[in-house]
Amino acid sequence: MNIALIAHDEKKELMIQFCIAYCGILSRNNICATGTTGKIISEATGLEITGFLAGSQGGDQQIAARIACNEIDMLLFFRDPLNPKPNEPNDMNLLRLCDMHNIPVATNIATAEVLIHGLERGDLDWRNIIK
């Protein structure tokens, strides 16, 4: 599966801890991430991550484009709901694209764990079912 990772600054440490905990599962998939998030996760875990631009420089839009082209199968997007971001409209566009293309998305640790366990069990091979 192609999994995209994005984390707001306030959630980057949580994303690192999540990736450390589930490194074994993540390592069996193709991972991409926005610039800073990908760099710090790769340094902390040794995971091979395709990096895009930083989110503020358009990395989230690069991931959105891949979602629109059906090149992403899952998005883990740890958002900070308490501090509004100047690029919040881009965030909403990203989530809208996931809805349009039936991409499983997690915006918090609880949902991310449900998705990662489903991935491990093989529950998320839904694209083969609806084709």
Side-chain angles (χ1 to χ4, degrees):
M1 276 201 143
N2 297 316
I3 303 171
L5 307 176
I6 302 173
H8 285 159
D9 289 344
E10 298 79 4
K11 299 292 182 172
K12 287 193 188 322
E13 184 59 35
L14 182 62
M15 180 65 84
I16 291 168
Q17 295 305 315
F18 176 85
C19 291
I20 289 170
Y22 296 105
C23 189
I25 298 167
L26 291 169
S27 68
R28 295 189 295 268
N29 296 276
N30 300 315
I31 309 296
C32 66
T34 50
T36 307
T37 300
K39 181 178 184 245
I40 61 175
I41 291 170
S42 181
E43 289 171 355
T45 64
L47 286 169
E48 187 175 318
I49 298 175
T50 300
F52 295 114
L53 296 171
S56 62
Q57 296 175 342
D60 53 346
Q61 293 174 14
Q62 289 177 299
I63 290 175
R66 292 199 175 226
I67 290 169
C69 293
N70 289 315
E71 296 173 4
I72 298 293
D73 301 307
M74 180 190 302
L75 173 63
L76 304 180
F77 181 9
F78 288 7
R79 300 173 58 219
D80 177 15
L82 299 177
N83 298 306
K85 304 288 179 269
N87 58 342
E88 189 127 4
N90 292 337
D91 295 352
M92 296 312 295
N93 184 50
L94 194 59
L95 298 175
R96 182 180 63 79
L97 283 168
C98 287
D99 288 343
M100 289 173 55
H101 294 274
N102 289 315
I103 304 300
V105 60
T107 59
N108 59 59
I109 187 86
T111 310
E113 287 188 328
V114 168
L115 288 179
I116 206 79
H117 287 295
L119 177 63
E120 183 178 33
R121 287 190 309 266
D123 297 344
L124 296 179
D125 199 12
W126 56 270
R127 288 183 187 237
N128 292 330
I129 295 169
I130 60 174
K131 283 186 177 177

